[in-house]
Amino acid sequence: MAYKITDKCVACGTCADACPVGAISAGDIYSINPDSCVDCGTCAGVCPQEAIVPGE
Ligand code: SF4
């Protein structure tokens, strides 16, 4: 399952720059395209808000 971005997101953009497959899109809250995400966890590791969680 793809990772998910929760409402703790402050739209800083750190995760989008870190994602190796470009799965993260900008917005009021950033979002992860589940069809592109390869479940690597890089984004969760770099998020300063701890807003990114593994999918169930
Ligand atoms: Fe990108 Fe990896 Fe995060 Fe998926 S888990 S959105 S592939 S950085």
Side-chain angles (χ1 to χ4, degrees):
M1 271 301 278
Y3 276 66
K4 290 190 174 138
I5 301 179
T6 70
D7 61 7
K8 289 190 201 168
C9 173
V10 296
C12 68
T14 305
C15 58
D17 290 341
C19 178
V21 295
I24 304 182
S25 310
D28 290 342
I29 289 177
Y30 276 48
S31 62
I32 297 174
N33 179 344
D35 295 327
S36 302
C37 177
V38 294
D39 251 334
C40 69
T42 303
C43 50
V46 299
C47 178
Q49 298 293 320
E50 298 184 357
I52 307 183
V53 295
E56 289 124 35

